[in-house]
Amino acid sequence: MKTSVSELVTAERESTEIPEAADSLFAMAVNVMNHAADVLGLDNYIRSILSQPKNSIIVNFPVQMDDGNYEIVRGFRIQHNNALGPYKGGIRYHEDVALDDVRALALWMTLKCSLAGVPFGGAKGGVKVNPRERSRDEMCRITRRFTSALGTNIGPDYDIPAPDVGTNAQTMVWIMDTYMNTTAGLARQLPLNVVTGKTLECGGSLGREKATGQGVVYVCEEMLPAMGITLKGARVALQGYGNVGSHTAMLLHDLGAKIVGVMDHTGAIVEENGLDAHKLAEYVAQAGGVADFKEATAVDWDAFYAVETDVFIPAALEKMITADIAKCIQTKVIVEAANGPTDAPAEPILSERGIEILPAILCNSGGVTVSYFEWVQNKNNETWVLEDVDRRLRRYVAEMCARVRKTRREFNCDMRTSAYVVALQRIGDVYKQRGIFP
Ligand code: GLU
């Protein structure tokens, strides 16, 4: 009897499916994807392929800490899908990193790269460590051991890491150096582009550090006017003031927006007349958080979310906009700069209250888009000037936003579904054209 690919894949999926915890981030991500797949009418076998990562790598490795003791550290690299190109995605360092979250983040990378139109698949990595509690030397040793444990599971044409929460350009340079001295060095290759998001001196791209924030701002410029919001004079609040939050705020401030509130892990501050985003960034670099910033008023949780804004930008971790926050937040549009910041139960509440959501895979794709530019520059031994990087990023963002708007009209759906439909359409086309081996 002839069995279709779709039946085979579905049977395989059912037999290997791991039961998900009720609050699984991966299950939440797959649900949203499946909704868009229904709207699009995506073939079942493609949806089944995307419903689990291709490779899940878990490594445990010993590291000597500054006090002389050894600790076992756990790291993950999830390679979700590579139909569009090499696996691509950040590595995060956080004390709560778990397999389930990394799987969700890897799935979002697959969709984000497809939506952004860059020729990469999706991956994500994580190391369960709190970088705030570790010395620079300890972080260096952890990074080098993690990289050597990953071995040839990463590579410039296979899987290309980048920064994420808790990692930065220095982390990427340690990964590159370790990779060159172990795996690639044996073949006398020096592939700078085994990672992106490096320091400028070590092969990074101009504009990469601010790229995610720059992308968020370009998306705002493309999408907000149609929602009746002009950036000049717009009231904006942010959750998170790390790389993404601070760059977004500074760029918005320069365009004349008023940053009226910021919250992070240290506290919340508000300033009715708008605070100086640049001064706040300088302060946070010194103090480690927004608490006690002198040019704003410290407030508690309720008062922060009660501030009336035009745009609210979550730029921290996943599921930070809970159902409770959704009930009280006073804003017109949520611009998701973080990955997966809106918890599933919050979504219908926001929609009922008429609050529009611009989804993460749309808003924060500037980071991976400029990662792609860095990867191309390294491959060709080129360095592009900043104006070039920004101009190209703007073109990618404009094209992506135009497709999302058109798809929204065509399918009469919300922005999140529309962004997912655009992403799934491209992956679906690739699977249909390439077929399933053999
Ligand atoms: N970690 C970033 C993200 O979530 C950037 C990934 C990359 O540049 O590969 O999009």
Side-chain angles (χ1 to χ4, degrees):
M1 197 180 68
K2 221 170 153 223
T3 317
S4 72
V5 174
S6 135
E7 278 163 345
L8 283 175
V9 176
T10 310
E12 165 75 0
R13 179 170 139 66
E14 277 161 7
S15 65
T16 57
E17 205 168 11
I18 310 160
E20 306 286 1
D23 60 348
S24 159
L25 193 66
F26 184 67
M28 176 180 119
V30 170
N31 277 340
V32 176
M33 180 186 75
N34 279 338
H35 170 67
D38 286 340
V39 171
L40 173 64
L42 187 73
D43 281 352
N44 266 340
Y45 77 94
I46 300 174
R47 160 191 326 217
S48 299
I49 291 170
L50 295 173
S51 296
Q52 50 199 334
K54 280 202 165 181
N55 305 313
S56 305
I57 303 149
I58 305 177
V59 293
N60 296 293
F61 49 91
V63 179
Q64 187 167 32
M65 298 304 169
D66 291 347
D67 62 5
N69 287 324
Y70 291 92
E71 281 180 36
I72 302 296
V73 182
R74 171 167 291 190
F76 306 92
R77 184 72 181 168
I78 304 294
Q79 296 165 335
H80 177 261
N81 189 272
N82 61 353
L84 299 189
Y87 297 111
K88 184 86 189 81
I91 291 181
R92 84 169 36 175
Y93 289 173
H94 194 276
E95 60 277 23
D96 295 331
V97 160
L99 182 65
D100 176 64
D101 310 337
V102 188
R103 288 163 85 206
L105 291 157
L107 163 60
W108 286 326
M109 283 310 301
T110 298
L111 298 171
K112 193 188 301 185
C113 291
S114 175
L115 173 64
V118 296
F120 288 136
K124 201 73 160 204
V127 176
K128 195 169 166 52
V129 62
N130 182 349
R132 291 195 184 98
E133 284 176 357
R134 299 290 178 184
S135 70
R136 181 187 153 93
D137 283 353
E138 286 175 335
M139 290 320 299
C140 178
R141 288 197 293 275
I142 289 171
T143 301
R144 287 187 183 281
R145 272 306 295 247
F146 179 51
T147 308
S148 79
L150 288 176
T152 53
N153 286 300
I154 60 167
D157 292 304
Y158 181 65
D159 182 0
I160 307 130
D164 197 81
V165 173
T167 55
N168 55 27
Q170 175 63 74
T171 323
M172 295 306 115
V173 171
W174 286 329
I175 295 177
M176 179 189 79
D177 185 73
T178 309
Y179 181 80
M180 283 180 180
N181 275 291
T182 52
T183 312
L186 299 174
R188 299 190 179 229
Q189 286 168 351
L190 299 170
L192 292 175
N193 56 347
V194 63
V195 284
T196 57
K198 301 177 288 287
T199 60
L200 289 178
E201 295 78 6
C202 292
S205 174
L206 284 164
R208 176 62 186 87
E209 200 184 315
K210 65 160 182 156
T212 308
Q214 184 67 73
V216 171
V217 173
Y218 286 156
V219 169
C220 287
E221 290 187 298
E222 291 288 331
M223 305 298 273
L224 294 184
M227 300 171 185
I229 299 168
T230 348
L231 282 181
K232 198 169 167 51
R235 292 169 60 84
V236 179
L238 297 103
Q239 207 184 40
Y241 215 72
N243 173 285
V244 179
S246 63
H247 281 289
T248 303
M250 289 188 282
L251 292 162
L252 286 174
H253 173 96
D254 295 347
L255 289 173
K258 271 192 201 172
I259 310 300
V260 293
V262 180
M263 178 189 243
D264 74 0
H265 62 284
T266 63
I269 52 171
V270 296
E271 170 48 56
E272 224 358 75
N273 300 314
L275 49 81
D276 185 328
H278 294 271
K279 280 194 191 158
L280 181 60
E282 272 167 36
Y283 175 79
V284 170
Q286 297 295 317
V290 303
D292 301 326
F293 180 58
K294 291 284 167 284
E295 294 178 28
T297 313
V299 290
D300 63 15
W301 195 95
D302 297 346
F304 173 73
Y305 290 108
V307 174
E308 288 214 9
T309 56
D310 298 300
V311 182
F312 186 89
I313 308 183
L317 293 169
E318 304 82 48
K319 290 190 178 184
M320 296 208 47
I321 308 224
T322 58
D324 283 344
I325 295 174
K327 284 178 203 148
C328 64
I329 195 166
Q330 296 301 325
T331 195
K332 293 179 187 152
V333 185
I334 292 183
V335 171
E336 292 186 339
N339 289 309
T342 310
D343 199 4
E347 197 123 354
I349 302 171
L350 293 167
S351 134
E352 200 150 294
R353 294 186 56 215
I355 300 173
E356 185 82 73
I357 304 174
L358 292 179
I361 60 167
L362 174 78
C363 296
N364 70 23
S365 65
V368 75
T369 303
V370 179
S371 274
Y372 168 56
F373 299 162
E374 179 176 332
W375 185 77
V376 170
Q377 290 173 72
N378 291 162
K379 252 188 184 304
N380 300 336
N381 278 328
E382 289 176 8
T383 32
W384 302 350
V385 294
L386 181 60
E387 291 70 29
D388 236 1
V389 172
D390 283 348
R391 185 179 45 80
R392 286 176 202 247
L393 174 61
R394 175 131 222 172
R395 254 204 352 241
Y396 271 75
V397 170
E399 165 83 9
M400 169 178 72
C401 289
R403 289 189 68 186
V404 169
R405 277 194 303 261
K406 182 167 168 280
T407 305
R408 186 187 199 184
R409 282 196 300 275
E410 199 178 320
F411 291 91
N412 190 24
C413 57
D414 59 35
M415 284 292 181
R416 194 185 303 284
T417 308
S418 166
Y420 278 56
V421 164
V422 173
L424 290 173
Q425 227 158 13
R426 185 163 171 231
I427 297 168
D429 288 348
V430 168
Y431 269 110
K432 278 180 224 149
Q433 288 166 28
R434 286 175 60 156
I436 302 290
F437 174 82

